[in-house]
Amino acid sequence: MKVNTDDLRTNETDDRGRIYLGTEYANKRVTVAVVEVEADNPDEEELAAAYRDASESAKKLTEEWEDTSSEAWGDLE
């Protein structure tokens, strides 16, 4: 079966996984193929990587702040 790429559409599903096709398909037999599924939420690996990056950044900022704070207190003495 050949599919015209102009006929491909991307639709969002509702909270139950349903898609509204439109009235032009009313009372007709329709065959639908799922070509790709994208999740709205990041997967666990992406979240873990983001948390690791944030943790490393926070650690670096803390170390920099400690150095800056020590210098500032040293200048006051």
Side-chain angles (χ1 to χ4, degrees):
M1 171 183 222
K2 292 185 179 184
V3 176
N4 184 349
T5 56
D6 294 334
D7 293 337
L8 295 176
R9 289 192 244 161
T10 300
N11 291 330
E12 299 287 327
T13 60
D14 65 11
D15 60 343
R16 295 179 67 188
R18 299 175 299 188
I19 294 176
Y20 177 73
L21 296 176
T23 56
E24 66 267 25
Y25 297 105
N27 299 318
K28 294 188 172 67
R29 179 182 167 94
V30 177
T31 302
V32 177
V34 177
V35 177
E36 181 180 20
V37 175
E38 293 180 16
D40 288 342
N41 303 324
D43 66 7
E44 290 181 20
E45 289 179 16
E46 290 176 348
L47 284 175
Y51 283 124
R52 278 192 301 275
D53 290 345
S55 177
E56 289 172 7
S57 294
K59 185 177 178 182
K60 287 178 186 174
L61 285 173
T62 301
E63 291 169 356
E64 289 174 11
W65 173 251
E66 288 175 358
D67 293 341
T68 303
S69 179
S70 296
E71 288 175 20
W73 281 110
D75 291 342
L76 292 175
E77 296 175 354

